[in-house]
Amino acid sequence: MTDSPDRHILIARRRAFTRPGYVSYAEAGFDGPWVSPYQQSCGSTCGPVLISYNWLDAPSARTRKVELMRLGYLPDMLFNRVLDRALADAGLARNQIYLTHAFHLLPATRSAQVPRRDIEASFDAITRHEVAGRPVIALGRAAQSACCRFGIPHLPVSHPSARGANLRSKAAQITMALQNLSHLEHAA
């Protein structure tokens, strides 16, 4: 991710955002020159934006800190295996997309549900400013709902970790959305 005044404002927004019961990236040891640590690998300033639910939970982030500080993500997670497959099928690399989250704090427990009001507060404070008119793919219901609530045009797809579909079919949805965004950009 390149250095820009806008990026510094976004990072400041993320640093200022708090909610009771959640751990900030800084509190978990992940404060850095990014809005999300995920952007170490997916921080393109010009590629499509993918919005997911959240980055991780606090216990997982702390347990896997060394790997996360190096990559910004965990390659063995289903979410990332699906995304890697989708990107490969679309002929893209991680550094050609920008991945962010609807919720920019870490739940205190694994698989904790984040209330809609907290997701919307985070989205309003941070995420809606990140997309800046770029093409958006919303990964799952939480991201889709937040995009709708704030009037962000997006292509909706299933969350890569959603149950019920296999890795290949989930990846195919994301690949198709990436290709559709590419066609829309070329037509404009």
Side-chain angles (χ1 to χ4, degrees), residues 48 92 135 155 176-188:
L92 295 171
L155 293 177
M176 188 179 310
L178 288 164
Q179 291 168 339
N180 286 338
L181 285 182
S182 176
H183 294 315
L184 292 174
E185 286 177 328
H186 295 310

Side-chain angles (χ1 to χ4, degrees), residues 123-156:
F123 200 95
D124 187 35
I126 305 160
T127 312
R128 72 182 180 93
H129 303 282
E130 285 181 279
V131 300
R134 292 167 62 182
V136 172
I137 297 172
L139 304 172
R141 290 185 302 239
Q144 293 162 19
S145 176
C147 283
C148 289
R149 167 79 170 83
F150 290 94
I152 305 295
H154 63 282
L155 293 177

Side-chain angles (χ1 to χ4, degrees), residues 97-169:
I97 65 168
Y98 184 89
L99 197 142
T100 193
H101 316 290
F103 188 68
H104 285 278
L105 293 171
L106 305 172
T109 61
R110 191 169 160 82
S111 301
Q113 287 294 97
V114 178
R116 182 177 177 165
R117 70 182 177 279
D118 291 340
I119 293 169
E120 288 184 357
S122 178
F123 200 95
D124 187 35
I126 305 160
T127 312
R128 72 182 180 93
H129 303 282
E130 285 181 279
V131 300
R134 292 167 62 182
V136 172
I137 297 172
L139 304 172
R141 290 185 302 239
Q144 293 162 19
S145 176
C147 283
C148 289
R149 167 79 170 83
F150 290 94
I152 305 295
H154 63 282
L155 293 177
V157 300
S158 296
H159 192 279
S161 298
R163 295 179 187 187
N166 66 34
L167 185 148
R168 187 172 301 178
S169 64

